[in-house]
Coordinates of all heavy atoms in Angstrom, one line a residue:
A179 N -22.2 5.8 -17.1 CA -22.7 6.4 -18.3 C -21.8 6.4 -19.4 O -22.0 6.3 -20.6 CB -23.0 7.9 -18.0
A180 N -20.5 6.4 -19.1 CA -19.4 6.4 -20.1 C -19.1 4.8 -20.4 O -18.7 4.5 -21.6 CB -18.1 7.0 -19.7
Y181 N -19.3 3.9 -19.4 CA -18.9 2.5 -19.6 C -20.1 1.7 -19.1 O -20.0 1.3 -18.0 CB -17.6 2.2 -18.9 CG -16.5 2.9 -19.3 CD1 -15.9 4.1 -19.0 CD2 -15.7 2.2 -20.3 CE1 -14.9 4.7 -19.5 CE2 -14.4 2.7 -21.0 CZ -14.1 4.0 -20.5 OH -13.0 4.7 -21.1
P182 N -21.1 1.6 -19.9 CA -22.5 1.0 -19.4 C -22.2 -0.4 -18.9 O -22.9 -0.9 -18.0 CB -23.3 1.0 -20.6 CG -22.7 2.0 -21.4 CD -21.2 2.0 -21.3
H183 N -21.2 -1.2 -19.3 CA -21.0 -2.6 -19.0 C -20.0 -2.8 -17.8 O -19.5 -3.9 -17.6 CB -20.6 -3.4 -20.2 CG -21.7 -3.5 -21.2 ND1 -23.0 -3.9 -21.0 CD2 -21.6 -2.9 -22.5 CE1 -23.5 -3.7 -22.2 NE2 -22.8 -3.1 -23.1
A184 N -19.6 -1.5 -17.2 CA -18.6 -1.7 -16.2 C -19.2 -2.4 -14.9 O -20.4 -2.4 -14.7 CB -18.1 -0.3 -15.9
R185 N -18.3 -3.0 -14.2 CA -18.7 -3.6 -12.9 C -17.9 -3.1 -11.7 O -16.6 -3.0 -11.8 CB -18.4 -5.2 -13.0 CG -18.9 -5.9 -12.0 CD -20.3 -6.4 -12.2 NE -20.8 -7.1 -10.9 CZ -20.7 -8.5 -10.8 NH1 -20.2 -9.2 -11.8 NH2 -21.2 -9.1 -9.7
P186 N -18.5 -2.6 -10.6 CA -17.7 -2.1 -9.5 C -17.3 -3.4 -8.7 O -18.0 -4.3 -8.5 CB -18.7 -1.3 -8.9 CG -20.1 -1.9 -9.1 CD -19.9 -2.5 -10.5
A187 N -16.1 -3.2 -8.1 CA -15.6 -4.1 -7.0 C -15.2 -3.4 -5.8 O -14.3 -2.3 -6.0 CB -14.4 -4.9 -7.5
I188 N -15.6 -3.6 -4.6 CA -15.5 -2.8 -3.5 C -14.4 -3.5 -2.5 O -14.5 -4.6 -2.1 CB -16.8 -2.6 -2.6 CG1 -17.9 -2.3 -3.4 CG2 -16.5 -1.7 -1.5 CD1 -17.7 -1.1 -4.2
F189 N -13.3 -2.7 -2.3 CA -12.1 -3.3 -1.6 C -12.0 -2.6 -0.3 O -12.3 -1.5 0.0 CB -10.9 -3.0 -2.4 CG -10.6 -3.9 -3.5 CD1 -11.3 -3.6 -4.7 CD2 -9.8 -5.0 -3.5 CE1 -11.0 -4.5 -5.7 CE2 -9.6 -5.8 -4.5 CZ -10.2 -5.6 -5.8
Y190 N -11.9 -3.4 0.8 CA -11.6 -2.9 2.1 C -10.8 -3.9 2.9 O -10.7 -5.1 2.6 CB -13.0 -2.6 2.8 CG -14.0 -3.8 2.8 CD1 -14.0 -4.7 3.9 CD2 -14.7 -4.1 1.7 CE1 -15.0 -5.6 4.0 CE2 -15.6 -5.1 1.8 CZ -15.8 -6.0 3.0 OH -16.6 -6.9 2.8
G191 N -10.3 -3.5 4.1 CA -9.3 -4.5 4.9 C -10.2 -5.3 5.8 O -11.5 -5.2 5.9
P192 N -9.5 -6.1 6.6 CA -10.2 -7.1 7.5 C -10.6 -6.2 8.8 O -10.3 -5.1 9.1 CB -9.0 -8.0 7.9 CG -7.7 -7.1 7.7 CD -8.0 -6.2 6.6
G193 N -11.6 -6.9 9.5 CA -12.1 -6.3 10.7 C -13.5 -5.5 10.6 O -13.8 -5.1 9.5
P194 N -14.2 -5.5 11.7 CA -15.5 -4.9 11.6 C -15.6 -3.3 11.3 O -16.5 -3.0 10.7 CB -16.1 -5.1 13.1 CG -14.9 -5.3 13.9 CD -13.8 -6.0 13.0
Q195 N -14.5 -2.7 11.6 CA -14.5 -1.2 11.3 C -14.5 -1.0 9.8 O -15.2 -0.1 9.2 CB -13.4 -0.5 12.1 CG -13.3 1.0 11.8 CD -12.2 1.7 12.6 OE1 -11.5 1.1 13.4 NE2 -12.1 2.9 12.3
E196 N -13.6 -1.7 9.2 CA -13.5 -1.6 7.7 C -14.8 -2.1 7.1 O -15.3 -1.4 6.1 CB -12.3 -2.6 7.2 CG -10.9 -1.9 7.6 CD -10.4 -0.8 6.6 OE1 -10.6 -1.1 5.4 OE2 -9.9 0.2 7.0
A197 N -15.4 -3.2 7.5 CA -16.6 -3.6 6.9 C -17.7 -2.7 7.1 O -18.5 -2.4 6.1 CB -17.0 -4.9 7.5
E198 N -17.8 -2.0 8.3 CA -18.8 -0.9 8.5 C -18.7 0.2 7.6 O -19.7 0.7 7.0 CB -18.7 -0.5 9.9 CG -20.0 0.4 10.3 CD -21.1 -0.3 10.4 OE1 -21.3 -1.7 10.5 OE2 -22.3 0.4 10.3
L199 N -17.4 0.6 7.2 CA -17.2 1.8 6.4 C -17.5 1.4 4.9 O -18.0 2.1 4.2 CB -15.8 2.1 6.4 CG -15.3 2.9 7.7 CD1 -13.7 2.9 7.8 CD2 -15.9 4.2 7.7
A200 N -17.4 0.1 4.6 CA -17.6 -0.4 3.1 C -19.1 -0.6 3.0 O -19.5 -0.6 1.8 CB -16.8 -1.6 2.8
R201 N -19.8 -0.9 4.1 CA -21.3 -1.3 3.8 C -22.1 -0.5 3.1 O -22.9 -0.9 2.2 CB -21.8 -1.8 5.3 CG -23.2 -2.5 5.1 CD -23.7 -3.0 6.3 NE -22.9 -4.1 6.9 CZ -22.1 -4.0 8.0 NH1 -21.9 -2.9 8.7 NH2 -21.3 -5.0 8.3
P202 N -22.0 0.9 3.4 CA -23.0 1.8 2.6 C -22.8 1.7 1.1 O -23.6 1.9 0.3 CB -22.6 3.2 3.3 CG -22.1 2.8 4.6 CD -21.4 1.5 4.5
V203 N -21.5 1.6 0.8 CA -21.2 1.6 -0.7 C -21.7 0.2 -1.3 O -22.2 0.2 -2.4 CB -19.7 1.8 -1.0 CG1 -19.4 1.8 -2.5 CG2 -19.2 2.9 -0.3
L204 N -21.4 -0.9 -0.6 CA -22.1 -2.2 -1.1 C -23.5 -2.1 -1.2 O -24.1 -2.7 -2.1 CB -21.5 -3.2 -0.1 CG -20.2 -3.7 -0.2 CD1 -19.7 -4.6 1.0 CD2 -19.8 -4.5 -1.5
N205 N -24.2 -1.6 -0.2 CA -25.6 -1.4 -0.2 C -26.1 -0.5 -1.3 O -27.2 -0.8 -2.1 CB -26.2 -0.9 1.1 CG -26.1 -1.9 2.2 OD1 -25.9 -3.1 2.0 ND2 -26.0 -1.4 3.4
A206 N -25.3 0.5 -1.7 CA -25.8 1.5 -2.8 C -25.6 0.9 -4.0 O -26.2 1.4 -5.1 CB -25.1 2.8 -2.5
L207 N -24.6 -0.1 -4.2 CA -24.3 -0.6 -5.7 C -24.5 -2.2 -5.5 O -23.5 -2.9 -5.3 CB -22.8 -0.3 -5.9 CG -22.4 1.2 -6.0 CD1 -20.9 1.3 -6.2 CD2 -23.2 1.8 -7.1
P208 N -25.7 -2.6 -5.4 CA -26.0 -4.0 -5.2 C -25.4 -5.0 -6.1 O -25.3 -6.1 -5.8 CB -27.6 -4.0 -5.2 CG -28.0 -2.8 -6.0 CD -26.9 -1.8 -5.7
H209 N -25.0 -4.6 -7.4 CA -24.4 -5.4 -8.3 C -22.9 -5.5 -8.2 O -22.1 -6.1 -9.0 CB -24.7 -5.0 -9.7 CG -24.3 -3.6 -10.1 ND1 -24.6 -2.5 -9.4 CD2 -23.5 -3.3 -11.2 CE1 -23.9 -1.5 -10.0 NE2 -23.3 -2.0 -11.1
A210 N -22.3 -4.8 -7.0 CA -20.9 -4.6 -6.9 C -20.4 -6.0 -6.3 O -21.0 -6.7 -5.7 CB -20.5 -3.6 -5.9
I211 N -19.1 -6.3 -6.7 CA -18.4 -7.4 -6.1 C -17.8 -7.0 -4.8 O -17.1 -6.1 -4.7 CB -17.3 -7.9 -7.2 CG1 -17.8 -8.1 -8.5 CG2 -16.4 -9.0 -6.6 CD1 -16.8 -8.2 -9.7
D212 N -18.1 -7.9 -3.9 CA -17.5 -7.8 -2.5 C -16.1 -8.4 -2.5 O -16.0 -9.6 -2.4 CB -18.4 -8.4 -1.4 CG -18.0 -8.1 -0.1 OD1 -16.7 -7.6 0.1 OD2 -18.7 -8.2 0.9
A213 N -15.2 -7.5 -2.5 CA -13.7 -8.0 -2.7 C -12.9 -7.7 -1.5 O -11.6 -7.5 -1.6 CB -13.1 -7.3 -4.0
G214 N -13.6 -7.5 -0.3 CA -12.8 -7.1 0.8 C -12.9 -8.0 2.1 O -13.9 -8.8 2.1
G215 N -12.1 -7.7 3.1 CA -12.5 -8.3 4.4 C -11.9 -9.6 4.7 O -11.3 -9.9 5.7
R216 N -11.8 -10.5 3.7 CA -11.6 -11.9 4.0 C -10.3 -12.4 3.2 O -10.1 -13.8 3.2 CB -12.8 -12.7 3.7 CG -13.2 -12.7 2.1 CD -14.7 -13.1 2.1 NE -15.0 -13.3 0.7 CZ -15.5 -12.3 0.0 NH1 -15.6 -11.1 0.4 NH2 -15.8 -12.5 -1.3
F217 N -9.6 -11.6 2.6 CA -8.5 -12.1 1.7 C -7.2 -11.7 2.2 O -6.9 -10.6 2.9 CB -8.6 -11.4 0.3 CG -10.0 -11.8 -0.4 CD1 -11.0 -11.0 -0.5 CD2 -10.2 -13.1 -0.9 CE1 -12.2 -11.2 -0.9 CE2 -11.4 -13.4 -1.5 CZ -12.4 -12.5 -1.6
A218 N -6.1 -12.5 2.0 CA -4.8 -12.2 2.2 C -4.3 -11.0 1.4 O -4.9 -10.7 0.3 CB -3.9 -13.3 2.1
L219 N -3.3 -10.5 1.9 CA -2.7 -9.2 1.1 C -2.3 -9.6 -0.4 O -2.6 -8.8 -1.3 CB -1.6 -8.6 1.8 CG -2.0 -7.6 3.0 CD1 -0.7 -7.2 3.7 CD2 -2.7 -6.5 2.6
T220 N -1.7 -10.7 -0.5 CA -1.2 -11.1 -1.9 C -2.3 -11.4 -2.7 O -2.5 -11.2 -4.0 CB -0.3 -12.3 -1.8 OG1 -0.8 -13.3 -1.0 CG2 1.1 -11.8 -1.2
E221 N -3.5 -12.0 -2.2 CA -4.7 -12.2 -2.9 C -5.3 -11.0 -3.3 O -5.8 -10.8 -4.4 CB -5.6 -13.1 -2.1 CG -5.1 -14.5 -1.8 CD -6.0 -15.2 -0.7 OE1 -6.8 -14.6 0.0 OE2 -5.7 -16.5 -0.5
T222 N -5.3 -10.0 -2.4 CA -6.0 -8.6 -2.8 C -5.2 -8.0 -3.8 O -5.8 -7.5 -4.7 CB -5.9 -7.9 -1.4 OG1 -6.8 -8.4 -0.5 CG2 -6.5 -6.5 -1.8
A223 N -3.8 -8.2 -3.7 CA -3.0 -7.5 -4.7 C -3.4 -8.2 -6.2 O -3.4 -7.5 -7.2 CB -1.5 -7.7 -4.4
A224 N -3.5 -9.5 -6.1 CA -3.8 -10.2 -7.5 C -5.1 -9.8 -8.0 O -5.3 -9.6 -9.2 CB -3.7 -11.7 -7.2
M225 N -6.1 -9.5 -7.1 CA -7.4 -9.0 -7.6 C -7.2 -7.6 -8.1 O -7.8 -7.3 -9.1 CB -8.3 -9.0 -6.4 CG -8.9 -10.5 -6.0 SD -10.4 -10.4 -4.9 CE -9.6 -9.8 -3.3
L226 N -6.5 -6.7 -7.5 CA -6.3 -5.4 -7.9 C -5.7 -5.3 -9.2 O -6.1 -4.5 -10.0 CB -5.5 -4.6 -6.9 CG -6.2 -4.3 -5.5 CD1 -5.1 -3.7 -4.5 CD2 -7.3 -3.2 -5.8
A227 N -4.8 -6.2 -9.5 CA -4.0 -6.4 -10.8 C -5.0 -6.7 -11.9 O -4.7 -6.3 -13.0 CB -2.9 -7.3 -10.7
R228 N -6.1 -7.2 -11.6 CA -7.2 -7.5 -12.6 C -8.0 -6.3 -13.0 O -8.8 -6.5 -13.9 CB -7.9 -8.7 -12.2 CG -7.2 -10.0 -12.2 CD -8.1 -11.2 -11.6 NE -9.2 -11.5 -12.4 CZ -9.3 -12.3 -13.5 NH1 -8.0 -13.0 -13.7 NH2 -10.2 -12.6 -14.1
C229 N -7.9 -5.3 -12.2 CA -8.9 -4.2 -12.3 C -8.5 -3.1 -13.4 O -7.2 -3.0 -13.5 CB -9.2 -3.6 -11.0 SG -10.0 -4.6 -9.7
A230 N -9.3 -2.6 -14.0 CA -9.0 -1.5 -15.1 C -8.7 -0.2 -14.3 O -7.9 0.7 -14.9 CB -10.1 -1.4 -16.0
L231 N -9.2 -0.1 -13.1 CA -9.0 1.3 -12.4 C -9.3 1.1 -10.9 O -10.1 0.2 -10.6 CB -10.0 2.3 -13.0 CG -10.1 3.7 -12.2 CD1 -8.8 4.5 -12.5 CD2 -11.3 4.5 -12.7
Y232 N -8.6 1.8 -10.1 CA -8.9 1.9 -8.7 C -9.0 3.3 -8.3 O -8.2 4.2 -8.6 CB -7.6 1.3 -7.9 CG -7.8 1.3 -6.3 CD1 -8.4 0.3 -5.7 CD2 -7.4 2.5 -5.6 CE1 -8.6 0.4 -4.3 CE2 -7.6 2.6 -4.2 CZ -8.1 1.5 -3.5 OH -8.3 1.6 -2.3
V233 N -10.1 3.7 -7.7 CA -10.4 4.9 -7.1 C -10.7 4.8 -5.6 O -11.6 4.0 -5.1 CB -11.8 5.7 -7.8 CG1 -12.0 6.9 -7.1 CG2 -11.6 5.5 -9.3
G234 N -10.0 5.5 -4.8 CA -10.1 5.4 -3.3 C -9.2 6.4 -2.5 O -8.5 7.0 -3.1
N235 N -9.5 6.3 -1.3 CA -8.8 7.2 -0.3 C -7.4 6.9 -0.2 O -6.9 5.8 -0.6 CB -9.5 7.1 1.0 CG -11.0 7.3 1.0 OD1 -11.5 8.4 0.4 ND2 -11.8 6.5 1.6
D236 N -6.7 7.9 0.4 CA -5.3 7.7 0.8 C -5.2 6.6 1.9 O -5.6 6.8 3.0 CB -4.7 9.0 1.4 CG -3.3 8.9 1.9 OD1 -2.6 7.8 1.5 OD2 -2.8 9.8 2.7
S237 N -4.8 5.4 1.4 CA -4.7 4.3 2.4 C -3.7 3.2 1.9 O -3.2 3.4 0.8 CB -6.2 3.6 2.4 OG -6.4 3.0 1.1
G238 N -3.7 2.2 2.6 CA -2.7 1.1 2.3 C -3.2 0.4 1.0 O -2.4 0.0 0.1
L239 N -4.4 0.4 0.9 CA -5.0 -0.3 -0.3 C -4.6 0.5 -1.5 O -4.5 -0.1 -2.6 CB -6.5 -0.6 -0.2 CG -7.0 -1.8 0.6 CD1 -8.4 -1.7 0.9 CD2 -6.5 -3.0 0.0
M240 N -4.7 1.8 -1.4 CA -4.4 2.7 -2.5 C -2.8 2.4 -3.0 O -2.7 2.2 -4.2 CB -4.5 4.1 -2.1 CG -4.1 5.2 -3.2 SD -3.9 6.8 -2.7 CE -2.3 6.6 -1.8
H241 N -2.1 2.4 -2.0 CA -0.6 2.0 -2.3 C -0.5 0.8 -3.0 O 0.3 0.5 -3.8 CB 0.2 2.3 -1.2 CG 0.3 3.7 -0.7 ND1 0.9 4.6 -1.5 CD2 -0.1 4.4 0.4 CE1 0.9 5.9 -0.9 NE2 0.3 5.6 0.3
L242 N -1.2 -0.2 -2.4 CA -1.2 -1.7 -2.9 C -1.6 -1.8 -4.4 O -1.1 -2.5 -5.2 CB -1.9 -2.6 -2.0 CG -1.8 -4.1 -2.3 CD1 -0.4 -4.5 -1.9 CD2 -2.9 -5.0 -1.5
A243 N -2.7 -1.0 -4.7 CA -3.2 -1.0 -6.0 C -2.1 -0.3 -7.0 O -2.0 -1.0 -8.1 CB -4.5 -0.1 -6.2
A244 N -1.6 0.7 -6.6 CA -0.6 1.3 -7.5 C 0.6 0.4 -7.6 O 1.2 0.4 -8.8 CB -0.1 2.6 -6.9
A245 N 1.0 -0.3 -6.6 CA 2.2 -1.1 -6.7 C 1.9 -2.5 -7.6 O 2.8 -3.0 -8.3 CB 2.6 -1.7 -5.4

Side-chain angles (χ1 to χ4, degrees):
Y181 294 86
H183 301 294
R185 185 87 183 270
I188 312 305
F189 284 80
Y190 55 97
Q195 182 177 354
E196 288 276 314
E198 188 66 23
L199 288 169
R201 187 173 293 114
V203 183
L204 286 165
N205 291 341
L207 303 173
H209 64 305
I211 300 164
D212 186 341
R216 62 196 187 277
F217 301 101
L219 281 175
T220 53
E221 294 167 352
T222 299
M225 288 191 290
L226 288 166
R228 291 174 64 87
C229 296
L231 176 68
Y232 178 92
V233 180
N235 304 314
D236 173 21
S237 68
L239 282 173
M240 177 197 73
H241 290 295
L242 190 66

